Amino acid sequence: MARVFLIVMDSVGIGGAADAGDFFNAGAPDTGANTVAHIAQARSGLKMPALDALGLGAAVELASGTMAPGLGAAPQGLWGAASEVSKGKDTTSGHWELAGLPVPFDWHYFPDEEPAFPEEVTAAVMRAAGTEGILGNRHGSGTVIMEELGAEHVRTGWPICYTSADSVFQIAAHEEHFGLARLQALCEAVAPMLHEMRVGRVISRPFVGNAETGFRRTGNRHDYAMAPPGRTLCDWVKDAGGRVHAIGKIGDIFSMQGIDDVVRGTDAELMGHLAGALEKAEEGSLTFANFVEFDALYGHRRDVDGYAAALEWFDGEIGALLPTLRDGDVMLITADHGNDPTWAGTDHTRERVPVMVAGRGKGELGQVAFVDVAASVATYLGLEECGPGQSFLTPAKA
């Protein structure tokens, strides 16, 4: 038997997407975006010895033809670059496709204008919230709109509703003045209507603080995502008798479909949960983890230094965990999209992503598909179902 640890570094793209010109940030195409390489160039090098030894630097060059300063080690793991076919550069599309299910429809996106939402959506929110209006009703950065409208929200009690270039509907409210339970109930109430419109996620964005000291988000975010419209890797493992453990927002992304349990927290806390899974996860299990702070705290805010520090922190933590892998364990590290902090705008960037595998020797995988990740995990665990992808791993017993 074997165990697989599938880890998604949220937004850690490596450039080179063939269709990047079809995706835009602030009116400019994503052609040339490269999250890892551009951060490395801006910082005159990244210090990521663990992931570089697995093949990160080589994957950047394979994906985009670009050398990332500081990342030039000879790979000691399996490594490659993966491309997405779903017509989105968002969390849900990336994760579903990594799990073997390309998105079979076009997401709904709200226009970048005011008001951004149709009257029926606004009316539904007002009914569910019991308010006479909403605030926001536009595209915006969550941290910026919270600072701009937080005081008015506290005064009026109206929820702050906003969106982005992703297929999302976000509702921000003060945990104490509005109430966390009330906010989550509001999101849950309006989610079915928005999912029917093909809006991928309704996200509760609780915050605390005041106008004098400033407002800040809490760790009690919750995503109300559409359920996957088909079976994914999580279902394949579970139906074959294996356990599926979710770390981070994986449970939200898959609406708990095919998942046994979930733990949440900051990335530092999630790293502790990953260490616990390496110690306790059962044979035949899949541990599926998402580390979101690269994206949420640094990519969207175009914070190059913060993103670089997060990458180097992650590398140090993973480097400490790799020696704890058991014989037969596989750790597969990848990403779901890009979010180049040197790029125009504040949206995700369309990029290829790295694929790095520890526990199965070394070698170049080449250019692979997102769905090949799911097929490889399934093949390694000996599952009959493996979706539309092609495996780059052999069964554990081979």
mmCIF file of all heavy atoms in Angstrom, residues 105-132:
data_model
loop_
_atom_site.group_PDB
_atom_site.id
_atom_site.type_symbol
_atom_site.label_atom_id
_atom_site.label_comp_id
_atom_site.label_asym_id
_atom_site.label_seq_id
_atom_site.Cartn_x
_atom_site.Cartn_y
_atom_site.Cartn_z
ATOM 1 N N PHE A 105 -18.072 23.956 -18.485
ATOM 2 C CA PHE A 105 -18.926 25.081 -18.852
ATOM 3 C C PHE A 105 -18.140 26.373 -18.641
ATOM 4 O O PHE A 105 -17.046 26.371 -18.062
ATOM 5 C CB PHE A 105 -20.220 25.098 -18.022
ATOM 6 C CG PHE A 105 -19.988 24.968 -16.536
ATOM 7 C CD1 PHE A 105 -19.484 26.022 -15.780
ATOM 8 C CD2 PHE A 105 -20.268 23.779 -15.870
ATOM 9 C CE1 PHE A 105 -19.260 25.898 -14.420
ATOM 10 C CE2 PHE A 105 -20.051 23.645 -14.506
ATOM 11 C CZ PHE A 105 -19.545 24.717 -13.783
ATOM 12 N N ASP A 106 -18.713 27.470 -19.086
ATOM 13 C CA ASP A 106 -18.111 28.781 -18.859
ATOM 14 C C ASP A 106 -18.660 29.364 -17.561
ATOM 15 O O ASP A 106 -19.879 29.362 -17.328
ATOM 16 C CB ASP A 106 -18.429 29.736 -20.013
ATOM 17 C CG ASP A 106 -17.706 29.349 -21.297
ATOM 18 O OD1 ASP A 106 -16.641 28.707 -21.209
ATOM 19 O OD2 ASP A 106 -18.217 29.689 -22.386
ATOM 20 N N TRP A 107 -17.776 29.876 -16.714
ATOM 21 C CA TRP A 107 -18.207 30.546 -15.496
ATOM 22 C C TRP A 107 -18.887 31.876 -15.828
ATOM 23 O O TRP A 107 -18.638 32.482 -16.869
ATOM 24 C CB TRP A 107 -17.010 30.840 -14.590
ATOM 25 C CG TRP A 107 -16.290 29.637 -14.069
ATOM 26 C CD1 TRP A 107 -15.038 29.207 -14.427
ATOM 27 C CD2 TRP A 107 -16.755 28.707 -13.082
ATOM 28 N NE1 TRP A 107 -14.701 28.077 -13.730
ATOM 29 C CE2 TRP A 107 -15.735 27.747 -12.893
ATOM 30 C CE3 TRP A 107 -17.930 28.596 -12.339
ATOM 31 C CZ2 TRP A 107 -15.863 26.696 -11.993
ATOM 32 C CZ3 TRP A 107 -18.055 27.553 -11.447
ATOM 33 C CH2 TRP A 107 -17.033 26.618 -11.279
ATOM 34 N N HIS A 108 -19.713 32.328 -14.905
ATOM 35 C CA HIS A 108 -20.298 33.673 -15.021
ATOM 36 C C HIS A 108 -19.400 34.664 -14.294
ATOM 37 O O HIS A 108 -18.983 34.425 -13.160
ATOM 38 C CB HIS A 108 -21.704 33.714 -14.409
ATOM 39 C CG HIS A 108 -22.319 35.088 -14.435
ATOM 40 N ND1 HIS A 108 -22.901 35.601 -15.568
ATOM 41 C CD2 HIS A 108 -22.420 36.058 -13.481
ATOM 42 C CE1 HIS A 108 -23.345 36.824 -15.307
ATOM 43 N NE2 HIS A 108 -23.057 37.116 -14.054
ATOM 44 N N TYR A 109 -19.104 35.779 -14.965
ATOM 45 C CA TYR A 109 -18.297 36.839 -14.368
ATOM 46 C C TYR A 109 -19.120 38.122 -14.340
ATOM 47 O O TYR A 109 -19.822 38.436 -15.314
ATOM 48 C CB TYR A 109 -17.013 37.070 -15.173
ATOM 49 C CG TYR A 109 -16.147 35.836 -15.280
ATOM 50 C CD1 TYR A 109 -16.252 34.982 -16.378
ATOM 51 C CD2 TYR A 109 -15.237 35.515 -14.287
ATOM 52 C CE1 TYR A 109 -15.459 33.846 -16.477
ATOM 53 C CE2 TYR A 109 -14.435 34.385 -14.378
ATOM 54 C CZ TYR A 109 -14.556 33.561 -15.473
ATOM 55 O OH TYR A 109 -13.780 32.425 -15.569
ATOM 56 N N PHE A 110 -19.023 38.858 -13.254
ATOM 57 C CA PHE A 110 -19.755 40.114 -13.162
ATOM 58 C C PHE A 110 -18.972 41.235 -13.849
ATOM 59 O O PHE A 110 -17.744 41.283 -13.770
ATOM 60 C CB PHE A 110 -20.000 40.476 -11.690
ATOM 61 C CG PHE A 110 -20.932 39.531 -10.990
ATOM 62 C CD1 PHE A 110 -20.447 38.646 -10.034
ATOM 63 C CD2 PHE A 110 -22.280 39.501 -11.289
ATOM 64 C CE1 PHE A 110 -21.295 37.772 -9.379
ATOM 65 C CE2 PHE A 110 -23.140 38.627 -10.641
ATOM 66 C CZ PHE A 110 -22.648 37.751 -9.686
ATOM 67 N N PRO A 111 -19.661 42.145 -14.520
ATOM 68 C CA PRO A 111 -18.971 43.206 -15.269
ATOM 69 C C PRO A 111 -18.253 44.172 -14.333
ATOM 70 O O PRO A 111 -18.674 44.402 -13.193
ATOM 71 C CB PRO A 111 -20.117 43.902 -16.005
ATOM 72 C CG PRO A 111 -21.336 43.636 -15.168
ATOM 73 C CD PRO A 111 -21.131 42.254 -14.609
ATOM 74 N N ASP A 112 -17.160 44.720 -14.825
ATOM 75 C CA ASP A 112 -16.383 45.689 -14.052
ATOM 76 C C ASP A 112 -16.995 47.069 -14.224
ATOM 77 O O ASP A 112 -16.455 47.941 -14.918
ATOM 78 C CB ASP A 112 -14.924 45.674 -14.496
ATOM 79 C CG ASP A 112 -14.024 46.464 -13.553
ATOM 80 O OD1 ASP A 112 -14.533 46.997 -12.544
ATOM 81 O OD2 ASP A 112 -12.810 46.552 -13.829
ATOM 82 N N GLU A 113 -18.136 47.253 -13.597
ATOM 83 C CA GLU A 113 -18.869 48.518 -13.652
ATOM 84 C C GLU A 113 -19.703 48.647 -12.391
ATOM 85 O O GLU A 113 -19.825 47.694 -11.613
ATOM 86 C CB GLU A 113 -19.765 48.562 -14.899
ATOM 87 C CG GLU A 113 -20.757 47.409 -14.973
ATOM 88 C CD GLU A 113 -21.487 47.300 -16.297
ATOM 89 O OE1 GLU A 113 -20.854 47.483 -17.351
ATOM 90 O OE2 GLU A 113 -22.699 47.015 -16.267
ATOM 91 N N GLU A 114 -20.256 49.814 -12.154
ATOM 92 C CA GLU A 114 -21.125 50.019 -10.988
ATOM 93 C C GLU A 114 -22.523 50.399 -11.448
ATOM 94 O O GLU A 114 -22.675 51.326 -12.258
ATOM 95 C CB GLU A 114 -20.557 51.130 -10.094
ATOM 96 C CG GLU A 114 -19.313 50.731 -9.322
ATOM 97 C CD GLU A 114 -18.945 51.757 -8.262
ATOM 98 O OE1 GLU A 114 -19.816 52.081 -7.431
ATOM 99 O OE2 GLU A 114 -17.801 52.227 -8.276
ATOM 100 N N PRO A 115 -23.523 49.670 -10.936
ATOM 101 C CA PRO A 115 -23.421 48.496 -10.063
ATOM 102 C C PRO A 115 -22.973 47.261 -10.850
ATOM 103 O O PRO A 115 -23.274 47.127 -12.034
ATOM 104 C CB PRO A 115 -24.835 48.323 -9.528
ATOM 105 C CG PRO A 115 -25.710 48.876 -10.618
ATOM 106 C CD PRO A 115 -24.933 50.029 -11.216
ATOM 107 N N ALA A 116 -22.280 46.375 -10.181
ATOM 108 C CA ALA A 116 -21.769 45.159 -10.824
ATOM 109 C C ALA A 116 -22.794 44.039 -10.834
ATOM 110 O O ALA A 116 -22.717 43.145 -11.678
ATOM 111 C CB ALA A 116 -20.508 44.687 -10.110
ATOM 112 N N PHE A 117 -23.750 44.084 -9.891
ATOM 113 C CA PHE A 117 -24.658 42.950 -9.717
ATOM 114 C C PHE A 117 -26.050 43.280 -10.221
ATOM 115 O O PHE A 117 -26.550 44.399 -10.033
ATOM 116 C CB PHE A 117 -24.733 42.558 -8.240
ATOM 117 C CG PHE A 117 -23.370 42.363 -7.610
ATOM 118 C CD1 PHE A 117 -23.016 43.058 -6.467
ATOM 119 C CD2 PHE A 117 -22.443 41.510 -8.183
ATOM 120 C CE1 PHE A 117 -21.759 42.893 -5.897
ATOM 121 C CE2 PHE A 117 -21.182 41.337 -7.632
ATOM 122 C CZ PHE A 117 -20.840 42.038 -6.483
ATOM 123 N N PRO A 118 -26.725 42.308 -10.829
ATOM 124 C CA PRO A 118 -28.108 42.531 -11.266
ATOM 125 C C PRO A 118 -29.031 42.750 -10.065
ATOM 126 O O PRO A 118 -28.751 42.317 -8.946
ATOM 127 C CB PRO A 118 -28.450 41.247 -12.022
ATOM 128 C CG PRO A 118 -27.475 40.231 -11.555
ATOM 129 C CD PRO A 118 -26.234 40.962 -11.177
ATOM 130 N N GLU A 119 -30.122 43.415 -10.310
ATOM 131 C CA GLU A 119 -31.037 43.792 -9.231
ATOM 132 C C GLU A 119 -31.548 42.583 -8.457
ATOM 133 O O GLU A 119 -31.734 42.651 -7.241
ATOM 134 C CB GLU A 119 -32.218 44.586 -9.796
ATOM 135 C CG GLU A 119 -31.839 45.980 -10.287
ATOM 136 C CD GLU A 119 -33.043 46.769 -10.759
ATOM 137 O OE1 GLU A 119 -34.187 46.251 -10.623
ATOM 138 O OE2 GLU A 119 -32.862 47.896 -11.254
ATOM 139 N N GLU A 120 -31.746 41.448 -9.153
ATOM 140 C CA GLU A 120 -32.283 40.286 -8.454
ATOM 141 C C GLU A 120 -31.277 39.722 -7.440
ATOM 142 O O GLU A 120 -31.679 39.194 -6.390
ATOM 143 C CB GLU A 120 -32.712 39.196 -9.441
ATOM 144 C CG GLU A 120 -31.628 38.670 -10.362
ATOM 145 C CD GLU A 120 -31.539 39.411 -11.677
ATOM 146 O OE1 GLU A 120 -31.952 40.601 -11.729
ATOM 147 O OE2 GLU A 120 -31.068 38.802 -12.651
ATOM 148 N N VAL A 121 -29.989 39.850 -7.720
ATOM 149 C CA VAL A 121 -28.982 39.407 -6.772
ATOM 150 C C VAL A 121 -28.955 40.338 -5.569
ATOM 151 O O VAL A 121 -28.936 39.896 -4.409
ATOM 152 C CB VAL A 121 -27.596 39.329 -7.442
ATOM 153 C CG1 VAL A 121 -26.502 39.100 -6.398
ATOM 154 C CG2 VAL A 121 -27.575 38.217 -8.482
ATOM 155 N N THR A 122 -28.957 41.633 -5.823
ATOM 156 C CA THR A 122 -28.966 42.608 -4.731
ATOM 157 C C THR A 122 -30.197 42.414 -3.848
ATOM 158 O O THR A 122 -30.099 42.432 -2.613
ATOM 159 C CB THR A 122 -28.954 44.036 -5.308
ATOM 160 O OG1 THR A 122 -27.808 44.202 -6.132
ATOM 161 C CG2 THR A 122 -28.920 45.064 -4.191
ATOM 162 N N ALA A 123 -31.349 42.212 -4.470
ATOM 163 C CA ALA A 123 -32.583 42.028 -3.701
ATOM 164 C C ALA A 123 -32.519 40.766 -2.857
ATOM 165 O O ALA A 123 -32.986 40.750 -1.705
ATOM 166 C CB ALA A 123 -33.778 41.969 -4.649
ATOM 167 N N ALA A 124 -31.938 39.702 -3.389
ATOM 168 C CA ALA A 124 -31.831 38.450 -2.632
ATOM 169 C C ALA A 124 -30.941 38.630 -1.412
ATOM 170 O O ALA A 124 -31.228 38.101 -0.328
ATOM 171 C CB ALA A 124 -31.297 37.344 -3.531
ATOM 172 N N VAL A 125 -29.840 39.369 -1.572
ATOM 173 C CA VAL A 125 -28.952 39.620 -0.435
ATOM 174 C C VAL A 125 -29.662 40.446 0.628
ATOM 175 O O VAL A 125 -29.581 40.153 1.828
ATOM 176 C CB VAL A 125 -27.668 40.331 -0.904
ATOM 177 C CG1 VAL A 125 -26.814 40.739 0.303
ATOM 178 C CG2 VAL A 125 -26.861 39.437 -1.832
ATOM 179 N N MET A 126 -30.382 41.470 0.214
ATOM 180 C CA MET A 126 -31.094 42.326 1.167
ATOM 181 C C MET A 126 -32.147 41.530 1.940
ATOM 182 O O MET A 126 -32.286 41.686 3.151
ATOM 183 C CB MET A 126 -31.725 43.500 0.426
ATOM 184 C CG MET A 126 -30.707 44.505 -0.102
ATOM 185 S SD MET A 126 -31.348 45.614 -1.388
ATOM 186 C CE MET A 126 -32.780 46.325 -0.587
ATOM 187 N N ARG A 127 -32.875 40.670 1.232
ATOM 188 C CA ARG A 127 -33.881 39.843 1.910
ATOM 189 C C ARG A 127 -33.225 38.927 2.932
ATOM 190 O O ARG A 127 -33.685 38.810 4.075
ATOM 191 C CB ARG A 127 -34.665 39.004 0.892
ATOM 192 C CG ARG A 127 -35.700 39.753 0.110
ATOM 193 C CD ARG A 127 -36.658 38.787 -0.592
ATOM 194 N NE ARG A 127 -35.961 37.860 -1.471
ATOM 195 C CZ ARG A 127 -35.670 38.108 -2.750
ATOM 196 N NH1 ARG A 127 -36.026 39.261 -3.291
ATOM 197 N NH2 ARG A 127 -35.052 37.211 -3.487
ATOM 198 N N ALA A 128 -32.170 38.256 2.527
ATOM 199 C CA ALA A 128 -31.519 37.302 3.420
ATOM 200 C C ALA A 128 -30.847 37.999 4.596
ATOM 201 O O ALA A 128 -30.786 37.448 5.700
ATOM 202 C CB ALA A 128 -30.496 36.478 2.640
ATOM 203 N N ALA A 129 -30.322 39.214 4.369
ATOM 204 C CA ALA A 129 -29.645 39.953 5.435
ATOM 205 C C ALA A 129 -30.610 40.740 6.299
ATOM 206 O O ALA A 129 -30.260 41.143 7.417
ATOM 207 C CB ALA A 129 -28.617 40.904 4.835
ATOM 208 N N GLY A 130 -31.821 41.004 5.791
ATOM 209 C CA GLY A 130 -32.768 41.826 6.529
ATOM 210 C C GLY A 130 -32.362 43.282 6.557
ATOM 211 O O GLY A 130 -32.602 43.988 7.547
ATOM 212 N N THR A 131 -31.755 43.761 5.450
ATOM 213 C CA THR A 131 -31.301 45.152 5.380
ATOM 214 C C THR A 131 -31.990 45.861 4.219
ATOM 215 O O THR A 131 -32.571 45.231 3.332
ATOM 216 C CB THR A 131 -29.778 45.229 5.183
ATOM 217 O OG1 THR A 131 -29.415 44.564 3.953
ATOM 218 C CG2 THR A 131 -29.050 44.568 6.346
ATOM 219 N N GLU A 132 -31.886 47.180 4.218
ATOM 220 C CA GLU A 132 -32.512 47.980 3.175
ATOM 221 C C GLU A 132 -31.579 48.250 2.006
ATOM 222 O O GLU A 132 -31.965 48.917 1.040
ATOM 223 C CB GLU A 132 -33.001 49.310 3.758
ATOM 224 C CG GLU A 132 -34.096 49.130 4.805
ATOM 225 C CD GLU A 132 -34.584 50.460 5.362
ATOM 226 O OE1 GLU A 132 -34.026 51.503 4.957
ATOM 227 O OE2 GLU A 132 -35.510 50.457 6.186
#
